Amino acid sequence: MNPPLKLAVVGHTNVGKTSLLRTLTRDIGFGEVSPRASTTRHVEGARLSVDGQALLELYDTPGLEDAIALLDYLERLDCPGERLDGPARLARFLDGSEARQRFEQEAKVLRQLLASDAGLYVIDAREPVLAKYRDELAVLAMAGRPLLPVLNFVAAGRHREDDWREALARLGLHARVAFDSVAPPLDGERRLYESLALLLEKARAPLQRLIDDHERQRQARRHSGARLIAELLLDCAACRRGVAAQPTLVQGAIRELHEAVRQREQRCVEALLRLYAFRPQDAQAGELPLLDGRWGDDLFNPETLRQLGLKVGGGMAAGAATGVGIDLLVGGITLGAAAVLGALLGGGAQTLRGYGARLKGKLKGQRELSVDDAVLRLLALRQQLLLQALEARGHAALDAIELAAPQEALWRQGKLPDALHRARAHPEWSALNPGARLQQPERQEQLDALSATLTSTT
Ligand SMILES: Nc1nc2c(ncn2[C@@H]2O[C@H](COP(=O)(O)OP(=O)(O)O)[C@@H](O)[C@H]2O)c(=O)[nH]1
Ligand SMILES: [Mg+2]
């Protein structure tokens, strides 16, 4: 088995070396990231494995601080008549006393680069190409290791990628990748490894394995993410609260339902953050702008009627689906409701036994409250936006994600997925209801269907 490929992450102080490592390892806790200079004082490493096989080791290094003075010093190391090549020059420097004193920090970096197969040279692409950076590259080039420049901070508006590209070419560095550790390009990691494979022939196979594995993991995360959202929506669509039709009780029930939905959404946010390996405080569910509740029209839901074995005309079913008939049994019987009632009675004892109690409750002024369609649409949109934000977020990001409410026009109207209409008629499908039976095959089926819809629209 081949030993893992070793990469040294090198560059000036504060250009995002530690941040790049966090993003490539998907580890928010790696090292210490800080806007202050020189937070990384020693060499720290991380290992990436696939199926238990270590493929890549990445080493963080302290920043190079005084490359101009070091280059001067290195250029004066030849004895009279001698012309050292780069590695010989560095070897002499590292054996000398200055490597333990004045240039101690730089010596650590160079030792690590010499112990590695290649270096990633991280650049803050917002910076002008200053002499100190050119000298840094000249010093690093002496190690005789392939160097891949990583132009970091390219998501920032004002960067100088073109200046850097030209300057790097003049130094003989023609491969490079654009990256941003906080908001990495979607294919940034793949391009980084592919460019590296061009510089290092022996690294091609392990890097390709890494690329493939990371793509598989990305797909698996998306799939699991869509499923977490589908669970949230199903729980909310099937949730119901019974309450006597008295204004104060009704207000209390609405508040209670509102709170249950809010907490359920927050649980989904936390699960998504865990799935993407971010911190719990990296995003919060926002306020729910509305929840009026929706009154027991589930009795007229086509799915309920189907369960009852009732055949109703298209107009009746459509009316029920759009909420016509809400409250009918409380306020007074309209034609639609009467038709259902008649059909129920006509359906015989068998049918009435199942639904009679709920129906009787309604007739006595007991009401059933459930979650608005608009709220379900809002939850779906908001969580899908969160999922997209998590996919695009680097593990070096420090700011929390703002979970703003999406535009009202988007969630006020529109069709609900069929799975949610069905869920309305199945209180036992909601973890928010007592007596939930979440393993029912039919629920799982609807969950799969809903996840698939969400995956295709995310
Ligand atoms: N916006 C943005 N900020 C970054 C990026 N990389 C690093 N930072 C920030 O730049 C600062 C220095 O980063 P750090 O990783 O500690 O740099 P190092 O000294 O080279 O290890 C920190 O405040 C990071 O959050 C990037 O690609 N984009
Ligand atoms: Mg650092």
Side-chain angles (χ1 to χ4, degrees):
M1 206 183 286
N2 293 325
L5 189 72
K6 284 188 174 176
L7 290 184
V9 179
V10 297
H12 203 75
T13 316
N14 235 20
V15 292
K17 296 179 297 299
T18 306
S19 296
L20 176 67
L21 267 149
R22 283 189 173 182
T23 298
L24 290 180
T25 56
R26 303 185 60 80
D27 180 358
I28 45 174
F30 183 90
E32 226 184 290
V33 164
S34 148
R36 281 175 295 116
S38 303
T39 31
T40 309
R41 289 247 155 238
H42 51 275
V43 173
E44 233 182 305
R47 175 180 284 175
L48 297 182
S49 304
V50 172
D51 298 332
Q53 190 190 345
L55 294 179
L56 182 63
E57 284 176 2
L58 291 154
Y59 292 93
D60 197 6
T61 64
L64 292 166
E65 275 168 9
D66 201 358
I68 296 182
L70 177 58
L71 185 60
D72 272 351
Y73 177 79
L74 287 168
E75 281 174 344
R76 284 186 277 106
L77 279 177
D78 308 71
C79 299
E82 204 180 24
R83 189 171 292 173
L84 297 170
D85 71 359
R89 202 176 284 278
L90 288 189
R92 186 169 294 175
F93 157 62
L94 291 171
D95 279 342
S97 60
E98 290 294 56
R100 288 185 303 274
Q101 293 163 23
R102 190 169 146 212
F103 297 118
E104 189 194 3
Q105 182 120 321
E106 283 75 10
K108 283 183 195 165
V109 180
L110 289 166
R111 280 201 192 91
Q112 188 56 51
L113 183 57
L114 286 166
S116 303
D117 297 295
L120 296 178
Y121 178 72
V122 185
I123 294 165
D124 179 345
R126 300 168 306 178
E127 284 275 292
V129 188
L130 302 173
K132 60 178 179 183
Y133 300 125
R134 280 198 292 266
D135 286 0
E136 241 165 59
L137 280 161
V139 170
L140 293 168
M142 286 184 196
R145 294 284 182 273
L147 275 184
L148 178 64
V150 177
L151 290 163
N152 204 19
F153 284 93
V154 295
R158 293 164 292 102
H159 61 75
R160 305 170 194 253
E161 199 180 332
D162 292 344
D163 295 351
W164 275 100
R165 194 167 46 226
E166 197 192 320
L168 290 167
R170 290 174 77 106
L171 291 164
L173 293 166
H174 298 281
R176 80 206 148 257
V177 282
F179 205 81
D180 193 289
S181 308
V182 167
L186 213 56
D187 60 348
E189 185 187 287
R190 183 174 57 75
R191 293 178 67 151
L192 192 152
Y193 291 142
E194 280 172 0
S195 305
L196 203 57
L198 291 178
L199 297 179
L200 259 171
E201 173 59 26
K202 71 165 185 173
R204 225 181 46 214
L207 288 172
Q208 191 57 50
R209 260 187 88 188
L210 212 54
I211 291 170
D212 294 344
D213 180 66
H214 286 186
E215 179 55 25
R216 263 195 304 277
Q217 287 186 26
R218 200 174 71 84
Q219 295 293 352
R221 274 192 301 272
R222 289 190 80 178
H223 188 82
S224 307
R227 208 168 169 88
L228 287 169
I229 299 173
E231 288 268 7
L232 163 71
L233 297 177
L234 220 56
D235 271 352
C236 292
C239 178
R240 48 172 84 143
R241 296 283 179 267
V243 60
Q246 288 173 22
T248 48
L249 295 179
V250 164
Q251 280 313 311
I254 290 179
R255 265 200 309 280
E256 199 255 337
L257 183 63
H258 189 126
E259 188 53 26
V261 171
R262 213 184 57 75
Q263 285 179 10
R264 181 64 188 80
E265 188 191 18
Q266 180 61 27
R267 286 216 305 280
C268 183
V269 169
E270 286 163 15
L272 285 172
L273 287 168
R274 262 197 311 280
L275 176 68
Y276 279 82
F278 289 108
R279 303 172 200 86
Q281 67 270 27
D282 282 347
Q284 292 277 319
E287 273 304 298
L288 274 181
L290 85 168
L291 195 150
D292 306 325
R294 158 186 178 285
W295 293 105
D297 61 346
D298 52 280
L299 274 179
F300 306 98
N301 180 321
E303 171 74 3
T304 313
L305 300 175
R306 187 180 65 80
Q307 284 184 342
L308 291 168
L310 295 177
K311 286 205 171 41
V312 287
M316 175 61 211
T322 52
V324 177
I326 298 180
D327 241 4
L328 297 175
L329 294 169
V330 184
I333 293 176
T334 68
L335 190 63
V340 174
L341 203 54
L344 278 175
L345 295 171
Q350 189 65 6
T351 314
L352 270 181
R353 207 169 297 138
Y355 280 76
R358 271 167 66 197
L359 208 50
K360 243 179 10 218
K362 286 176 94 59
L363 289 165
K364 281 195 206 141
Q366 182 74 20
R367 297 169 55 154
E368 250 174 9
L369 183 61
S370 58
V371 179
D372 290 322
D373 285 5
V375 170
L376 295 179
R377 283 192 293 264
L378 174 67
L379 292 172
L381 270 172
R382 189 145 81 178
Q383 295 303 311
Q384 279 177 289
L385 289 175
L386 173 61
L387 190 62
Q388 283 164 16
L390 294 176
E391 283 202 343
R393 182 178 167 91
H395 286 71
L398 298 172
D399 297 342
I401 296 173
E402 288 281 339
L403 261 191
Q407 278 189 331
E408 243 186 275
L410 288 174
W411 50 261
R412 278 286 184 190
Q413 278 149 26
K415 215 173 146 285
L416 281 187
D418 185 47
L420 297 183
H421 281 303
R422 282 177 191 254
R424 296 288 198 195
H426 292 277
E428 75 282 5
W429 288 2
S430 173
L432 300 174
N433 291 334
R437 294 211 307 279
L438 305 181
Q439 295 311 321
Q440 279 190 347
E442 205 187 338
R443 178 180 181 278
Q444 295 298 323
E445 225 171 83
Q446 295 306 317
L447 201 57
D448 288 342
L450 189 55
S451 298
T453 319
L454 291 170
T455 312
S456 66
T457 52
T458 300

